[in-house]
Amino acid sequence: METLSGPRMPCPENTVARMLLLGLVLLQVTGASGTTDVLVAYNLTWKSTNFKTILEWEPKPINHVYTVQISSRLGNWKSKCFYTTDTECDLTDEIVNNVNQTYLARVLSYPADATDYTGEPPFTNSPEFTPYLETKLGRPMIQSHKQVGTKLNVTIQDARTLVRMNGTFLTLRKVFGKDLSYTLYYWKASSTGKKTAKTNTNEFLIDVDKGESYCFTVQASIPSRKTNQKSPESPIVCTSQEKGMSREMLLVIGIVVLVVIVLTVILAVSLYKCRKGRRGQGGKESSPLNVA
């Protein structure tokens, strides 16, 4: 008599063995890919001055490389600084296209030998960055200055940026317009009391005391900002009224010397004539005695 047999049930020991074997294979594959040793970037920081913009991060890579991606809020990711061992990436070319846009960057980590890596690499996002509001203002430079009498004229050099319009690099003034202002700190060279003057152009014309030398420095600012409002101050420049006074003194001294010379010549001529006249008179008085 034939015995009916149902479906064979798998042995629990075999199932466990197969799962352990599968886990071991997956672990080996993961180890071979090298992703377990890849470190993600951290401390992502924007460094930007006059729109020259660099993204920095940590740590220094040991057995991995980085690729940076940047995107505007509504744009697609664009890769920069491919498979680099550096910990910084210059993103100026991307942000100067629209300095009013807000940007986000991320740093992707790859195994050092995985240039054709197709998996999803670990990455870290940067803080958002809006160049127009956050780029630092560089140290301004004084282009020229002139003090004449009671007026001091100071002209600020308008720094050029990497922002372009119609193929031309724009100055800070062209980018910020009236949002950009300058403050002039000035004082007498013989004292420490400072005065200030402000302008939203690139020139100052201030009243000063005639004959006094002045020192001054300039600072750029964007008052409408919440952060990074002010630039470092420019190098100190001083006028030198002593030079102007010395020219005047030289002129006065020259006139005095000329007058003295003329008077000396006149006096010498007068003395000579006087002596010559006395000698002539003495000769005439002695002539009768000689005859006798």
Side-chain angles (χ1 to χ4, degrees), residues 194-224:
K194 288 186 178 181
K195 295 182 179 180
T196 61
K198 294 185 178 182
T199 181
N200 55 6
T201 69
N202 286 56
E203 287 202 23
F204 291 91
L205 183 61
I206 58 176
D207 294 322
V208 294
D209 293 339
K210 186 176 181 180
E212 288 282 351
S213 296
Y214 281 82
C215 295
F216 46 89
T217 183
V218 174
Q219 185 177 52
S221 65
I222 301 179
S224 60

Side-chain angles (χ1 to χ4, degrees), residues 14-284:
N14 292 339
T15 302
V16 172
R18 288 176 182 175
M19 291 179 65
L20 290 174
L21 180 61
L22 180 60
L24 180 61
V25 171
L26 290 175
L27 181 62
Q28 289 176 344
V29 170
T30 303
S33 68
T35 56
T36 55
D37 295 330
V38 171
L39 298 177
V40 295
Y42 61 88
N43 196 22
L44 276 62
T45 307
W46 294 95
K47 297 293 181 68
S48 181
T49 301
N50 287 355
F51 300 106
K52 173 72 174 178
T53 302
I54 295 174
L55 181 70
E56 296 181 352
W57 64 90
E58 296 182 80
K60 290 284 187 182
I62 299 176
N63 59 350
H64 62 284
V65 291
Y66 298 111
T67 293
V68 177
Q69 292 183 333
I70 184 171
S71 172
S72 61
R73 277 180 174 173
L74 302 177
N76 298 320
W77 290 105
K78 183 174 182 180
S79 296
K80 305 283 290 185
C81 302
F82 297 91
Y83 305 117
T84 180
T85 56
D86 295 330
T87 54
E88 65 177 34
C89 183
D90 192 337
L91 298 176
T92 304
D93 290 345
E94 299 302 320
I95 65 97
V96 294
N97 293 324
N98 185 351
V99 296
N100 293 288
Q101 183 64 264
T102 298
Y103 296 90
L104 181 69
R106 62 185 184 182
V107 179
L108 291 71
S109 301
Y110 292 92
D113 57 350
T115 55
D116 56 349
Y117 183 80
T118 57
E120 182 69 24
F123 62 86
T124 305
N125 288 330
S126 72
E128 290 186 339
F129 176 69
T130 306
Y132 190 89
L133 300 177
E134 298 180 64
T135 191
K136 292 182 179 179
L137 299 174
R139 192 180 195 187
M141 299 298 294
I142 295 172
Q143 180 176 328
S144 63
H145 65 277
K146 187 176 182 181
Q147 182 177 346
V148 178
T150 60
K151 296 294 182 180
L152 173 62
N153 178 266
V154 180
T155 302
I156 312 304
Q157 182 176 334
D158 205 354
R160 291 193 176 274
T161 71
L162 294 177
V163 181
R164 290 191 182 188
M165 180 177 289
N166 300 325
T168 303
F169 291 109
L170 301 182
T171 62
L172 278 181
R173 175 63 63 194
K174 288 291 185 180
V175 176
F176 289 110
K178 297 298 183 180
D179 286 344
L180 176 67
S181 64
Y182 289 102
T183 301
L184 180 74
Y185 302 96
Y186 64 101
W187 60 96
K188 292 181 181 180
S190 59
S191 69
T192 57
K194 288 186 178 181
K195 295 182 179 180
T196 61
K198 294 185 178 182
T199 181
N200 55 6
T201 69
N202 286 56
E203 287 202 23
F204 291 91
L205 183 61
I206 58 176
D207 294 322
V208 294
D209 293 339
K210 186 176 181 180
E212 288 282 351
S213 296
Y214 281 82
C215 295
F216 46 89
T217 183
V218 174
Q219 185 177 52
S221 65
I222 301 179
S224 60
R225 282 183 170 184
K226 294 182 179 179
T227 60
N228 296 333
Q229 284 187 337
K230 298 180 179 181
S231 74
E233 293 182 8
S234 70
I236 295 174
V237 176
C238 296
T239 63
S240 182
Q241 288 300 289
E242 287 79 11
K243 292 182 179 180
M245 291 176 62
S246 64
R247 293 193 187 98
E248 295 175 0
M249 289 300 296
L250 285 174
L251 180 60
V252 172
I253 291 172
I255 294 173
V256 171
V257 170
L258 180 60
V259 170
V260 170
I261 292 173
V262 171
L263 291 176
T264 301
V265 171
I266 294 173
L267 181 59
V269 171
S270 299
L271 289 174
Y272 174 76
K273 290 182 176 180
C274 184
R275 289 176 181 175
K276 188 176 180 181
R278 288 179 179 178
R279 288 175 183 174
Q281 291 178 358
K284 291 179 180 180

